[in-house]
Amino acid sequence: MTIIFWFKRDLRVYDNRALYAASKLGEVLPIFIIDTDILDKFEAYDLRLGFIITALQKLSEEIPLKVYVGKTLEIFDYLIEKYKPKAIVTAEAFTWSGEERLKKVETLAINKKVRFVKIFDNFLADFRKIKNFWSFSSFYKKWKEKLDLEIIGKFNVKFLNPKEEPTWQEATKKLKYEINKFNAYDAEKFLKYDFSKYRKLRKFLNGSTRLSPYIRFGILSIRHIYNLGKISEKFVKELAWREYWYALKNLYPYMNNLELREDRRNIKWDNLCLDAFYNGETGYPIIDAAIRQLKSEKWIHNRLRMLLASFFTKDLGGDWRLGEKFFSKHLIDYDEVVNVGNWQWVASVGTDYAIRIFNPVKQSKELDPKCEYIKTYIPELKDVPCIYLHDPITYRIPGYFPPIVNYKETRQKVKTLFGLSYKEKT
Ligand SMILES: Cc1cc2nc3c(=O)[nH]c(=O)nc-3n(C[C@H](O)[C@H](O)[C@H](O)COP(=O)(O)OP(=O)(O)OC[C@H]3O[C@@H](n4cnc5c(N)ncnc54)[C@H](O)[C@@H]3O)c2cc1C
């Protein structure tokens, strides 16, 4: 009997719990759908699509993967009619759009009397069982008690390989995309990462693991990654942050649009000079360089994400929902839940009471003391003394955009935006 296995954010065979469950039910037809509705929404003819296609290519070297380009429901309709499967098996989805898509397919399957099986995978703990927490630290304690680290590893699957169904090459012929610099399946790279030095290395703009797109698309199993990195408690904590946002989303499913903190729901965001921000023309070289890196490479370091989100919400008074949307268009590791959670956190409307303001001048000096990063992404500034580049308010940078705001006025601005809920951090 045919079992359709639907790959989504778990583009791997090794330690794939949902695929393992499918293998126990019958002969497996493995499929992936490049959904044209999603492509249209995210302007995805870019590196992100290239990354996915590279991953599909690598996966196809291991199994007879069938790849479809089109609307998810139409493709399932076709497959169900043609193969009369005994079941459709897939990993459970937890993002807003993922849940919606899954629900539609599940309904279709039920209407057509096909069994629909969803398997929990791609998280280290079942975050749905973690309740009664608010701060990350209270979550983290409970999360550690719920860790489920059992690795299935390699297992046998009997795959079907109907020749008339499209391979990744056939399916993607009509798509324009760039194969990008991130080499999917480059597990070697991570084996070489020195996790014992993670706490120190992660502070450098090129020193963190860069695992995020591999985690986002499930190219490496999260348990496998945990095993590589468990020598560093700091690293494990970072993995827990991802699950913290999902646990919060599970309890407060409205958080994609509404502030978690009730007392900070009526902020009148100024939305000042947002176009200059989107174009990387703020006049603050560290901010502009980060925007250029984000747009060209689709990835930036966590410290830069925090700096950008702070500048956007605090210095420009930009609504965090707009900032979140901007990141969603560019990040190769874009994850709805993680992005929303982090934007709320930096905007000080999430679970954290403190109102943090990142000083862009101080951050520039700290993150890029010799201005190497700035000069890499804004080469036209290569001859400007570093001291100017850090502090464009004190020093006018010749021939460069004047600063769109004075960061020294931010504290006052934030007081006005946050009103009564603003308290100086001592
Ligand atoms: C405003 C903002 C938006 C963000 N949007 C995303 C997003 O859409 N997708 C995404 O994967 N990460 C997002 N992050 C989290 C974090 O910046 C990235 O996961 C990290 O920079 C990726 O680089 P890395 O793999 O080298 O990280 P490492 O420092 O090596 O961390 C290892 C892994 O831990 C997880 N992790 C680390 N920090 C966080 C965090 N703050 N929240 C959740 N998980 C974390 C990631 O899976 C990461 O790959 C965002 C952070 C901020 C401040």
Side-chain angles (χ1 to χ4, degrees), residues 198 208-212 238 245 302 305 333 335 339 342:
Y198 176 74
S208 65
T209 65
R210 286 213 171 201
L211 271 166
S212 52
E238 296 304 317
W245 304 126
N302 183 55
R305 296 184 201 209
D333 56 29
D335 178 310
N339 203 39
N342 276 290

Side-chain angles (χ1 to χ4, degrees), residues 198 208-212 215 235 238-239 241-242 245 299-302 305-306 309 327 331 333-335 338-339 342-343 346:
Y198 176 74
S208 65
T209 65
R210 286 213 171 201
L211 271 166
S212 52
I215 294 176
F235 177 73
E238 296 304 317
L239 296 181
W241 271 100
R242 171 173 169 267
W245 304 126
W299 183 91
I300 49 173
H301 189 275
N302 183 55
R305 296 184 201 209
M306 291 205 284
F327 269 25
L331 283 175
D333 56 29
Y334 169 57
D335 178 310
V338 174
N339 203 39
N342 276 290
W343 269 91
V346 183

Side-chain angles (χ1 to χ4, degrees), residues 73-110:
L73 275 187
E74 288 175 12
I75 288 156
F76 269 107
D77 213 23
Y78 155 78
L79 289 170
I80 292 172
E81 285 310 311
K82 183 159 178 197
Y83 291 97
K84 313 261 179 291
K86 185 170 118 191
I88 297 169
V89 182
T90 195
E92 250 189 297
F94 297 105
T95 61
W96 292 276
S97 62
E99 280 171 341
E100 202 185 312
R101 192 165 169 235
L102 192 100
K103 189 82 218 143
K104 284 184 188 158
V105 177
E106 186 172 14
T107 308
L108 177 80
I110 291 167

Side-chain angles (χ1 to χ4, degrees), residues 9 190 193 195 198 202-203 205-216 222 225 234-245 299-310 323-324 327-328 331-347:
R9 296 170 57 141
F190 305 115
Y193 188 87
F195 285 94
Y198 176 74
R202 65 185 280 274
K203 294 185 183 145
L205 295 184
N206 58 2
S208 65
T209 65
R210 286 213 171 201
L211 271 166
S212 52
Y214 300 86
I215 294 176
R216 159 66 177 82
I222 196 73
I225 290 172
K234 183 71 195 148
F235 177 73
V236 170
K237 240 184 190 165
E238 296 304 317
L239 296 181
W241 271 100
R242 171 173 169 267
E243 307 201 4
Y244 173 58
W245 304 126
W299 183 91
I300 49 173
H301 189 275
N302 183 55
R303 297 277 302 267
L304 293 171
R305 296 184 201 209
M306 291 205 284
L307 179 59
L308 288 189
S310 168
E324 194 276 330
F327 269 25
S328 79
L331 283 175
I332 195 152
D333 56 29
Y334 169 57
D335 178 310
E336 285 170 62
V337 177
V338 174
N339 203 39
V340 162
N342 276 290
W343 269 91
Q344 285 221 25
W345 195 83
V346 183

